[in-house]
Amino acid sequence: NNRNVRPDRLNKYARVMDLGEWAMTGQPIIVDWDGNVMDGQHRLMAVVQTGRSVWMLVVRGVDPSRMPMIDRGAPRNGADAFNWAGYSHASMAAAAIRQLLVLFQGRGGKDGHAYNAIADHELVDAYPSYEHVIVWAAPLAKQVNQALRLPPAKYLATVLWLSVNGCDPESIQEFTQQLITGADLPEGSPILALRSWAVNVSVSKKKLRRDEVLIAVVKAWNDVAEGRTRVAMSVKPSELLPAVVAR
């Protein structure tokens, strides 16, 4: 054991192996000349955990004194994988699709372990299914961020969630433009309540939980869809994501 075991990383590798999607990338298991594992313990532990056989490159006989030099580069993330694949809006889209995949698993939007368990190749594989939405929704998410300081990736994830739940793109765009500008919104407008909530969050510098933007926007969306008014928006700590009312 050359480092503390990171359960999120171990579970991510084990999940990929269980799905039969492990690929040999050329990154080796490194073993020193005394037989100690210098790099690769999480991969090897995932093999033990799953009982799966996978191909890996193994380099043996490395000088143990070289241990501090191994695996010191910046770790790659979903955005790096998207840039490599040539996908647009890489950082925002990778984070948004990660949240979407967690929701599809039914794990709940605030489950941090579920987010970390999503492998980068799963994000890359999922992107083409949502590219037709991302191309118009990502610029809107940036405008929402500029106007209200809501995290653009979280708003993009919300738009993707509305889209996969059957909501009309034109209705989503109209809702978002009203949220951005606040123009001509009457008293009691759910979108106005959502704007006020977003401004308060920005001013207070409150740390948002992972699914808080999603819940707030869906609540306002549902209010508009069902013709309800709303004076104020709030999201309780234990509040769950409501079902989307398609329109």
Side-chain angles (χ1 to χ4, degrees):
N1 293 327
N2 52 44
R3 68 175 84 180
N4 293 330
V5 174
R6 301 175 184 174
D8 289 342
R9 179 173 295 184
L10 172 59
N11 292 334
K12 178 189 290 187
Y13 292 163
R15 182 168 176 271
V16 173
M17 290 178 187
D18 268 334
L19 291 172
E21 296 178 353
W22 186 266
M24 190 166 70
T25 63
Q27 181 180 5
I29 303 294
I30 302 177
V31 182
D32 70 19
W33 58 43
D34 294 320
N36 299 308
V37 174
M38 301 175 72
D39 189 37
Q41 73 167 8
H42 288 87
R43 285 170 280 166
L44 294 174
M45 290 178 70
V47 170
V48 174
Q49 179 172 307
T50 61
R52 300 278 185 175
S53 296
V54 298
W55 287 98
M56 294 184 187
L57 183 66
V58 179
V59 175
R60 301 178 184 273
V62 177
D63 184 343
S65 69
R66 299 296 185 261
M67 181 63 191
M69 305 175 188
I70 292 175
D71 202 20
R72 301 304 299 172
R76 293 179 178 86
N77 55 27
D80 295 325
F82 274 31
N83 279 320
W84 182 266
Y87 294 157
S88 59
H89 309 289
S91 181
M92 188 196 318
I97 291 176
R98 188 180 299 276
Q99 183 168 5
L100 191 67
L101 295 183
V102 169
L103 291 169
F104 284 153
Q105 292 177 6
R107 297 287 298 275
K110 58 182 179 179
D111 186 340
H113 293 295
Y115 281 79
N116 295 331
I118 301 294
D120 291 343
H121 80 270
E122 294 179 86
L123 304 178
V124 172
D125 291 345
Y127 180 92
S129 298
Y130 307 108
E131 185 174 17
H132 66 290
V133 178
I134 291 171
V135 292
W136 60 262
L140 280 179
K142 290 179 180 178
Q143 292 179 47
V144 169
N145 173 255
Q146 291 168 359
L148 300 171
R149 311 310 302 168
L150 288 179
K154 294 183 186 299
Y155 194 82
L156 177 58
T158 302
V159 172
L160 292 175
W161 186 243
L162 293 174
S163 180
V164 299
N165 278 279
C167 298
D168 175 63
E170 290 187 4
S171 296
I172 297 173
Q173 292 175 53
E174 179 184 7
F175 177 96
T176 302
Q177 288 294 349
Q178 290 179 319
L179 179 62
I180 292 168
T181 66
D184 302 320
L185 293 175
E187 186 176 348
S189 165
I191 301 176
L192 187 60
L194 180 61
R195 275 182 58 87
S196 298
W197 172 83
V199 170
N200 289 336
V201 165
S202 176
V203 170
S204 67
K205 299 187 183 329
K206 174 189 175 185
K207 184 177 180 180
L208 293 167
R209 76 187 215 198
R210 293 177 186 267
D211 60 352
E212 196 162 348
V213 171
L214 177 63
I215 291 174
V217 175
V218 169
K219 287 170 69 173
W221 173 272
N222 288 350
D223 287 340
V224 172
E226 297 184 333
R228 295 191 298 264
T229 60
R230 180 180 288 274
V231 175
M233 176 62 67
S234 64
V235 178
K236 299 176 182 176
S238 59
E239 191 166 354
L240 299 177
L241 176 65
V244 173
V245 178
R247 66 180 179 93

